[in-house]
Amino acid sequence: MTDVVPWLETEQTPFLLIDQQRFLTNVERLQKHISALGCHLRPHLKTLRSVDAARYILPTLSSPATVSTLAEAEAFADAGYTNLLYAVGISANKLDRVRALLERGVQLHILLDSIAQAQVVIDYGRKHGVSFSVFIEIDCDDHRGGLPPHSPLIGHIAQVLHDNGMRVTGVMSHSGGSYDATTTAEIVHAAEQECAAIRQAAAQIRQLGMDCPILSVGSTPTAHFAEDLSNITEVRAGVYTTFDLVMYNLGVCTLNDIAMSVVTTVIGHNADKNWVLVDAGWMALSRDRGTASQHKDFGYGLVCDKNGIPLENVCVTKVNQEHGVIALPNDYTVQDFPIGTQLRVLPNHACATAAMHQHYVVETTQHQREIWPRILGW
Amino acid sequence: MTDVVPWLETEQTPFLLIDQQRFLTNVERLQKHISALGCHLRPHLKTLRSVDAARYILPTLSSPATVSTLAEAEAFADAGYTNLLYAVGISANKLDRVRALLERGVQLHILLDSIAQAQVVIDYGRKHGVSFSVFIEIDCDDHRGGLPPHSPLIGHIAQVLHDNGMRVTGVMSHSGGSYDATTTAEIVHAAEQECAAIRQAAAQIRQLGMDCPILSVGSTPTAHFAEDLSNITEVRAGVYTTFDLVMYNLGVCTLNDIAMSVVTTVIGHNADKNWVLVDAGWMALSRDRGTASQHKDFGYGLVCDKNGIPLENVCVTKVNQEHGVIALPNDYTVQDFPIGTQLRVLPNHACATAAMHQHYVVETTQHQREIWPRILGW
């Protein structure tokens, strides 16, 4: 165990720390797994929303990537990235910005799952002389949006788009249901289910004589447990670069793989209650309680010592805006955590915790300090 | 009912909207109530963290105010404000920035509740020739930090500070427990309790021959229901300027007083489930579920039409990062919410929702558009 690097001890708390070595290991792990299955990654960049992180996640500027907002698409386009899927259902008010990106030479794919949206896209495309590249969203597990894979609407929408000069580039599904798995067998099954759904949807479009070149599946759990990606062209995953406690509970990673923590300082005690107060509240940790419904509930995060070593059963149990309360288990007393002590908190949900920060402090593989700014807003 | 102003319909969603007229009415309401009780406000600026908002909340640049981070203190100091209480327990790593503010002429008061913190402050003050102005935190309801009002440590800490050249400016408590009230009688009782606690704490210090000029109490519920503020010098409250659904459930405001909403666009339907999908997920609404434990659970927020008229029992029931799901009650179908429809969502907890945005879109009293930037980070 090495001691914490000196610059970390004087950084103003709270702040979000990324362990670059773990981050790179996580990136490589999924890259290798998906390559071995003969498939490609289209990483979802929404977790960190960082151009600096994308440098390591994406092999080249033309590598496929996924974004959750047009703000990300614009910022990654500014950084030179050219192949982006905006994976949230499109609406009319977003099309001016999509068009502006297309006119800059970015291949920006949009997503929809209804005739109403297809018509909006067609009308806009006709008015402005634009041919949009469209993915149709497929619902593989009755989880959120998308059309069921057997729905005849899939072929109908594709046909209408195609007949009106739009390109039906692909079908995509997100196995959000895999987050509710309680065994790895269930994740393996979810992976099979999303592939089956997306193959069925693509077949329907191809039977009508259209190409539909991209079959896109993904979620971090299913990406790691997928065993057969035949006929699937790409896999999307986001949180795998840093992982978090939800992924740990799902068996996708170990605690030592988690590359993100919030560094905080002890600012008070309540000895009667055996409570330690820290300067990381929900503003730094987020309000996410993703582990609440899993087999191990980590409250608002698992507490580690200043070197990042997890303290068993020590969790942030309550949060206010700028206060975190650690109700200690019986084998600790507040004297174990003197005021001024630096601690780290592993996040329930890396996307939600990262979203509370405007930049990340990165401990590089050489233990140097780097700052990675986050792309903000919509 | 007036129609939505045209510029609002073309603004990119999601965004946070502030109704300036309601905001001003809320500000004036509490101002009058506290003045009528012979007391002063020290508004907590942590909800909006906005210099533009502070212009209306604070009568003058020297009016007392409360902040939750040094980033706020620095930004409000830059804007000319000179009397700020940093109401989170102090730690050694923050004192350089506190000193820098003092040297700029800002009266920045710090907060502590232990001998260990007092000693850190004294040591730092001696080393750098600084006399800090200190508030001692009092726990009025066994809720978070602070010393019980009868604790002899209060007098002891005050004496140690005083004997070592620091100024014991005040005692403060926060009635966080009032958020759990189920009747207004309970809020009235919580208000009495925090005043009693703070009077008792101040008496202990004064009996030792020290001044302790400021007796500070506060929370938005207790501030509105306080009946007797005799001997109390100031009241702190934060969320009262915009209110939210938690405050509505507590009976502190009506739905029509809520001055903050997130404007969103319908981006999908799931007719089988009677679900409407919108482009506001937890990234725009926050993960706060503050109404979950109250008598009326609003999910992730109460949905209003594009003019801001609440739709009874229509709530955002599920959120992902950039998706909100509205599971409609039986008296609505998805056809009532065509794709592209603009809606507004009232927040559970205004502080948490505002924290997800980098700026706010303000509809002024004249229905013009203003942008109020938010102070970010720590």
Side-chain angles (χ1 to χ4, degrees), chain B residues 208-254:
Chain B
L208 295 168
M210 289 168 278
D211 264 359
C212 189
I214 299 183
L215 281 73
S216 181
V217 298
S219 79
T220 288
T222 55
H224 286 81
F225 286 98
E227 295 174 349
D228 174 12
L229 294 173
S230 52
N231 300 317
I232 302 297
T233 54
E234 65 179 35
V235 174
R236 303 179 327 283
V239 84
Y240 72 100
T241 67
T242 62
F243 289 124
D244 53 27
L245 294 166
V246 166
M247 290 298 135
Y248 167 72
N249 268 340
L250 284 169
V252 185
C253 67
T254 69

Side-chain angles (χ1 to χ4, degrees), chain B residues 176-199:
Chain B
S178 68
Y179 281 67
D180 303 326
T182 54
T183 63
T184 52
E186 282 176 37
I187 303 177
V188 171
H189 176 70
E192 287 166 1
Q193 186 176 306
E194 69 176 345
C195 291
I198 222 67
R199 289 184 196 112

Side-chain angles (χ1 to χ4, degrees), chain A residues 21-41:
Chain A
Q21 185 55 63
R22 292 184 183 187
F23 165 84
L24 292 176
T25 303
N26 297 338
V27 166
E28 191 184 357
R29 174 182 162 201
L30 188 60
Q31 187 71 259
K32 280 189 172 167
H33 174 62
I34 298 299
S35 292
L37 291 169
C39 201
H40 297 282
L41 269 178

Side-chain angles (χ1 to χ4, degrees), chain A residues 279-359:
Chain A
D279 68 357
W282 56 251
M283 185 69 88
L285 298 172
S286 92
R287 268 277 184 204
D288 196 282
R289 288 283 290 109
T291 60
S293 56
Q294 294 186 308
H295 65 89
K296 173 88 179 165
D297 183 349
F298 289 101
Y300 289 93
L302 178 63
V303 177
C304 306
D305 70 12
K306 69 172 182 172
N307 297 304
I309 311 297
L311 305 177
E312 202 176 340
N313 295 322
V314 181
C315 294
V316 178
T317 44
K318 196 172 94 163
V319 285
N320 294 120
Q321 188 157 342
E322 300 290 351
H323 294 84
V325 174
I326 302 169
L328 293 173
N330 289 334
D331 36 345
Y332 290 97
T333 69
V334 298
Q335 280 76 42
D336 298 321
F337 300 88
I339 288 170
T341 302
Q342 206 180 76
L343 300 170
R344 298 188 190 174
V345 183
L346 300 180
N348 279 327
H349 182 185
C351 304
T353 300
M356 307 310 289
H357 297 261
Q358 290 77 50
H359 64 259

Side-chain angles (χ1 to χ4, degrees), chain A residues 12-13 46 93-94 97 117 142-144 267 273 279 287-288 318 320-322 358 378, chain B residues 12-13 46 93-94 97 117 142-144 267 273 279 287-288 318 320-322 377-378:
Chain A
Q12 287 286 291
T13 58
K46 77 181 175 74
N93 59 349
K94 307 257 171 43
R97 291 167 71 189
Q117 285 166 298
D142 208 26
H143 181 70
R144 188 170 65 197
I267 59 168
K273 291 186 170 164
D279 68 357
R287 268 277 184 204
D288 196 282
K318 196 172 94 163
N320 294 120
Q321 188 157 342
E322 300 290 351
Q358 290 77 50
W378 289 269
Chain B
Q12 288 286 290
T13 57
K46 78 182 175 74
N93 59 350
K94 307 258 171 45
R97 290 167 72 190
Q117 285 166 298
D142 209 26
H143 179 69
R144 189 170 66 195
I267 57 168
K273 291 187 170 163
D279 68 357
R287 267 276 184 205
D288 197 282
K318 196 172 94 160
N320 294 121
Q321 187 157 344
E322 299 290 353
W378 287 269

Side-chain angles (χ1 to χ4, degrees), chain A residues 32-71:
Chain A
K32 280 189 172 167
H33 174 62
I34 298 299
S35 292
L37 291 169
C39 201
H40 297 282
L41 269 178
R42 181 186 285 278
H44 206 315
L45 302 177
K46 77 181 175 74
T47 303
L48 295 176
R49 296 176 58 140
S50 154
V51 169
D52 299 276
R55 285 185 294 152
Y56 301 102
I57 298 172
L58 301 174
T60 72
L61 289 172
S62 59
S63 299
T66 315
V67 296
S68 66
T69 59
L70 291 176

Side-chain angles (χ1 to χ4, degrees), chain B residues 23-36:
Chain B
F23 165 84
L24 294 176
T25 302
N26 297 338
V27 166
E28 190 183 358
R29 174 182 161 199
L30 188 60
Q31 188 70 259
K32 280 189 172 168
H33 174 61
I34 298 300
S35 291

